[in-house]
Amino acid sequence: MFYKSFGLALLLFGHLMPSQAKDPEYPAITIPANLKEKAHAVKRLEELSVKLVNPGEVRVTRHYVITVLDAKGDKYASIHEYYNKLRDVRTIKGRLIDQLGFEVSKMKQSDVSDVSGVGDQALMSDTRYKLYSFNYKVYPYTVDIETEVRYNHAFYLPDWMPQEDENYAVEQSKLVVTVPADYTLRYKAFRYTGEPVQATEKDSHTYTWEVKGMTAMPEEDYVAEDYDRTTTVMLAPSSFEMQDYKGTMNSWEEMGHFIYTLNQGRDLLPDNIKKTVHELTDGKSEKEKIEILYRYLQQHTRYILITLGIGGLQTFDANSVATKGYGDCKALSNYMVALLKEAGVQANYVLVQAGDTNTQLVEDFPSTQFNHMIACVPGKKDTTWLECTSNTLPVGYLSSFTAGRPVLVVADKGSALVRTPTYGMDQNQRVRRIAATVSETGDMQVKINTHSTALQQDYAQEMIHSLSHDKILEKLRNDHLLPSYDVNRYEAKEIDGAVPAVDEEMEINAHSYATVSGKRMFLEPNLLSKVSSKLESAEVRMSPVNIYSPFIKVDTVVITIPAGYTPESVPQPVTVKSNFGEYTSGITVKDNQIVFTRRYCNKAGIFPASEWVNFAAFNNAVYKADRARVVLVKQ
């Protein structure tokens, strides 16, 4: 029996030795306690190497090790690399390591998914993605990943942001950039102490940045750009090549000139479209020509995302758009400029960083910070802006997607940063009147009239153009306007103008909105305009406070109450003033009616992190006042 047991032990020992012969690597227990605090993942190690071989070739290698602490950190363990004609994925390697530091498995190349970049909005794309997930759920675990990518250009270079998200800590991360000795590397660092370490060899120059011990950023609302929050190094070329094109990027003018050159000659219209342009616009003023041709564009083309061509930067020509009737933002903007040119109106296409919250640009660092293109017609006194991907926006109006930010106007000579229109508080208004009748059971019939302008009407404007009437009703029923309700009627009317507006009428039945208890009825007269949430201010704020758009919201609510009820408790009027805005509300009860009035003015801007306490106090005071409750008693 002894010999059998001894033999079995040797067999087991021999089986275990190959997998545990190595010392453990990156055991989770060695992570400093302060890095695990409030973190879902910890980057144990990162080495990002960017080697600019020449203006037409860049090689990027990245080795990184991430320990995932819980399920919310799983997303950081997946691999996703894209490739196309300008970007080639050379190598992807990965290992899975358990919490003790022992290797569990290696990534198999046969398990890497290779999928098309054509999504729901894209018609054509030459981009594909390599995807892999370890699908491991025993926490904590660690992934060790290496990738190598080759760029067939130097037009854009990767940024370095060691801390990729909130609740994400960094033990160690390093960026090493190598360029030819005679090449000028352009970079801009944010929240990095000191300068990069530089070294020169015979034929190359190296820059090195390194950080250690970065604790997790807290989750914060109203945040600005990521580079305002955590260590970031942005890289950009001084000169570059992209296929047969060469350019420089030492100024916005140089970058704009390259984009112009890239698309030069692609504005030629077919003869039938030229004829149409003249039939529509000959003898008209410049303003009329712009309006007529913008409407023509909206009626005869549609937006479809296409990411073919040189890095998605070179547009499909105007003849193609005229023939097919569709294009992406570049193609439609180029087509609009071509139409205007044929009518004798000088126009430009414009590069913009689009997005409802992406209103900032690093203006002193010319680089590829854009994701969208629009058009404009410069005037002596004013500029007319044209969002060419929309079939519904009024001429000259830009929604929250592109308004109020720096943009690059592209020209052969004189490309420059300018700003798109900013819609202020007096333009972004929502005025709402509500007439309601509450029954003795607490049910309520409600009629709502809303007049919204500028950015405040964007949501309604998009909804009425993108959804059928039945779908609008369905959406409104799911918008949680009240705890329980039915939507019986909805109508909307657009009002054209330089500042567009939408008038909405809605009728709903609210179920048990008022609470009835014995002889008393409890009711919040602010039906639809409550600030949605309170803000926490106990912890120290880390990030600047970014409030995106200003507005004025005015509400008047008249509620008819059942006969025999009189007020027992009516809240006092509320006035709150702050650097962030002003709020007033009041409630009166007379005869058989409750009248609630509310005016909420919200300012926009980027405020120091130290102001968060004051902003939270303002928000929370409004939150409380919005929920003021009237108590009625039946005589």
Side-chain angles (χ1 to χ4, degrees):
M1 187 70 178
F2 170 78
Y3 295 106
K4 288 183 179 180
S5 301
F6 183 72
L8 178 61
L10 285 174
L11 179 63
L12 290 173
F13 182 71
H15 174 72
L16 291 173
M17 281 187 66
S19 63
Q20 296 189 3
K22 290 184 177 181
D23 292 333
E25 300 175 275
Y26 312 110
I29 196 172
T30 62
I31 300 174
N34 66 322
L35 297 187
K36 291 188 287 187
E37 187 176 350
K38 296 184 179 180
H40 300 309
V42 179
K43 182 179 288 182
R44 314 294 299 280
L45 169 72
E46 179 181 41
E47 296 177 0
L48 177 62
S49 172
V50 179
K51 183 177 182 179
L52 194 148
V53 180
N54 57 58
E57 180 181 356
V58 178
R59 297 176 185 174
V60 179
T61 59
R62 184 182 178 215
H63 175 215
Y64 58 101
V65 179
I66 295 175
T67 295
V68 176
L69 302 179
D70 54 39
K72 290 184 177 180
D74 283 336
K75 59 184 177 181
Y76 308 113
S78 61
I79 301 172
H80 43 87
E81 291 286 349
Y82 74 92
Y83 65 95
N84 50 37
K85 293 179 180 179
L86 295 175
R87 190 180 193 271
D88 180 33
V89 178
R90 295 293 186 86
T91 304
I92 298 179
K93 298 178 182 179
R95 297 188 300 147
L96 175 65
I97 299 170
D98 68 17
Q99 61 180 312
L100 298 177
F102 296 108
E103 184 178 296
V104 175
S105 64
K106 287 185 178 180
M107 184 187 81
K108 296 179 180 179
Q109 296 299 318
S110 58
D111 292 335
V112 177
S113 300
D114 193 319
V115 300
S116 171
V118 177
D120 294 338
Q121 291 185 332
L123 175 67
M124 291 179 285
S125 174
D126 56 10
T127 297
R128 296 187 65 85
Y129 289 85
K130 291 183 180 290
L131 308 174
Y132 182 82
S133 176
F134 291 95
N135 294 318
Y136 196 69
K137 301 296 180 183
V138 181
Y139 305 100
Y141 66 87
T142 298
V143 294
D144 181 357
I145 299 169
E146 297 179 50
T147 62
E148 181 182 355
V149 176
R150 178 179 179 269
Y151 296 175
N152 300 322
H153 64 88
F155 180 74
Y156 50 81
L157 302 174
D159 294 335
W160 178 59
M161 186 179 291
Q163 201 161 26
E164 301 175 26
D165 206 347
E166 297 173 328
N167 304 122
Y168 185 104
V170 179
E171 198 166 347
Q172 180 181 359
S173 179
K174 179 188 294 186
L175 168 66
V176 179
V177 182
T178 304
V179 299
D182 59 351
Y183 187 88
T184 300
L185 175 70
R186 299 176 49 246
Y187 61 87
K188 186 174 180 65
F190 301 83
R191 292 183 174 265
Y192 186 86
T193 303
E195 294 294 325
V197 176
Q198 300 188 40
T200 302
E201 296 183 1
K202 181 180 179 181
D203 298 320
S204 64
H205 193 79
T206 300
Y207 303 77
T208 302
W209 292 263
E210 187 173 11
V211 294
K212 295 180 179 180
M214 300 178 70
T215 56
M217 288 189 296
E219 293 184 16
E220 295 181 333
D221 298 313
Y222 296 91
V223 295
E225 300 293 335
D226 288 339
Y227 55 75
D228 282 335
R229 307 184 67 201
T230 186
T231 298
T232 304
V233 174
M234 298 177 67
L235 303 174
S238 52
S239 61
F240 56 88
E241 296 177 10
M242 184 178 288
Q243 293 187 5
D244 296 329
Y245 295 88
K246 296 181 180 181
T248 54
M249 202 183 291
N250 299 295
S251 67
W252 291 115
E253 182 175 7
E254 289 181 4
M255 181 178 176
H257 176 72
F258 173 76
I259 299 297
Y260 178 89
T261 302
L262 197 64
N263 294 291
Q264 194 171 16
R266 294 176 174 266
D267 59 351
L268 301 179
L269 297 169
D271 290 339
N272 65 313
I273 299 299
K274 290 181 180 180
K275 181 181 178 182
T276 299
V277 168
H278 289 287
E279 289 174 349
L280 291 172
T281 64
D282 283 355
K284 306 292 185 181
S285 68
E286 181 175 285
K287 180 179 179 182
E288 290 172 326
K289 290 179 179 179
I290 297 169
E291 292 177 352
I292 291 169
L293 293 177
Y294 186 58
R295 294 302 180 201
Y296 178 83
L297 175 83
Q298 292 180 316
Q299 293 166 6
H300 292 85
T301 63
R302 58 195 173 97
Y303 169 75
I304 295 180
L305 177 61
I306 301 171
T307 58
L308 298 173
I310 301 177
L313 297 171
Q314 191 174 63
T315 181
F316 275 69
D317 60 79
N319 183 74
S320 174
V321 177
T323 302
K324 297 177 180 179
Y326 61 76
D328 62 7
C329 63
K330 302 181 300 296
L332 295 176
S333 297
N334 178 66
Y335 185 52
M336 184 74 237
V337 170
L339 294 173
L340 290 166
K341 180 181 177 181
E342 184 64 28
V345 179
Q346 176 61 45
N348 302 80
Y349 36 81
V350 181
L351 293 175
V352 55
Q353 172 68 272
D356 292 340
T357 60
N358 301 333
T359 59
Q360 295 187 67
L361 198 71
V362 183
E363 297 186 39
D364 62 350
F365 189 67
S367 55
T368 53
Q369 301 177 52
F370 308 104
N371 61 4
H372 187 50
M373 184 177 282
I374 59 177
C376 75
V377 180
K380 293 181 180 180
K381 295 183 178 180
D382 200 2
T383 297
T384 303
W385 300 91
L386 304 170
E387 172 54 80
C388 300
T389 63
S390 172
N391 296 105
T392 60
L393 288 182
V395 63
Y397 174 71
L398 296 179
S399 68
S400 59
F401 193 57
T402 53
R405 68 200 68 202
V407 297
L408 180 61
V409 177
V410 175
D412 183 16
K413 297 180 181 179
S415 298
L417 283 185
V418 301
R419 293 193 70 86
T420 54
T422 297
Y423 302 102
M425 185 184 294
D426 291 336
Q427 294 167 303
N428 301 323
Q429 294 199 23
R430 192 209 65 204
V431 180
R432 177 177 285 158
R433 297 187 64 85
I434 297 177
T437 301
V438 62
S439 70
E440 291 194 3
T441 62
D443 293 343
M444 187 180 292
Q445 294 181 332
V446 186
K447 294 184 178 180
I448 307 151
N449 290 276
T450 306
H451 178 76
S452 304
T453 59
L455 303 185
Q456 286 293 305
Q457 60 89 57
D458 283 354
Y459 179 81
Q461 196 269 352
E462 181 178 356
M463 181 175 68
I464 61 182
H465 281 286
S466 61
L467 300 176
S468 67
H469 190 263
D470 288 342
K471 288 294 184 181
I472 290 175
L473 293 177
E474 180 182 341
K475 179 173 178 54
L476 291 172
R477 293 184 187 109
N478 294 325
D479 273 354
H480 304 293
L481 302 175
L482 294 168
S484 177
Y485 63 97
D486 297 318
V487 180
N488 300 326
R489 176 175 170 266
Y490 177 84
E491 301 293 337
K493 179 183 177 182
E494 291 183 90
I495 303 172
D496 290 334
V499 178
V502 172
D503 282 339
E504 299 171 273
E505 295 182 4
M506 182 164 56
E507 295 180 6
I508 63 178
N509 287 339
H511 309 301
S512 302
Y513 178 78
T515 301
V516 179
S517 177
K519 293 183 177 182
R520 287 175 173 78
M521 178 179 289
F522 304 87
L523 183 145
E524 294 179 1
N526 183 6
L527 302 184
L528 299 179
S529 298
K530 297 180 177 72
V531 168
S532 60
S533 60
K534 296 181 70 175
L535 300 176
E536 295 296 330
S537 60
E539 296 187 358
V540 177
R541 173 79 176 193
M542 303 296 294
S543 308
V545 183
N546 190 9
I547 304 173
Y548 303 113
S549 64
F551 59 77
I552 297 176
K553 295 181 179 180
V554 180
D555 292 84
T556 303
V557 182
V558 179
I559 303 174
T560 301
I561 60 179
Y565 278 89
T566 59
E568 182 180 69
S569 174
V570 179
Q572 293 296 310
V574 175
T575 298
V576 184
K577 294 185 178 181
S578 166
N579 291 334
F580 303 95
E582 295 184 7
Y583 172 92
T584 59
S585 66
I587 302 172
T588 60
V589 182
K590 185 177 181 181
D591 299 329
N592 66 331
Q593 288 188 332
I594 299 172
V595 178
F596 170 77
T597 58
R598 177 186 190 265
R599 181 180 175 86
Y600 180 25
C601 304
N602 185 77
K603 297 179 181 179
I606 299 178
F607 301 87
S610 58
E611 282 292 303
W612 174 255
V613 173
N614 296 328
F615 177 67
F618 175 61
N619 177 90
N620 294 346
V622 174
Y623 178 92
K624 180 180 179 180
D626 276 348
R627 286 157 178 78
R629 188 169 63 171
V630 174
V631 181
L632 304 172
V633 62
K634 190 173 184 179
Q635 298 301 316

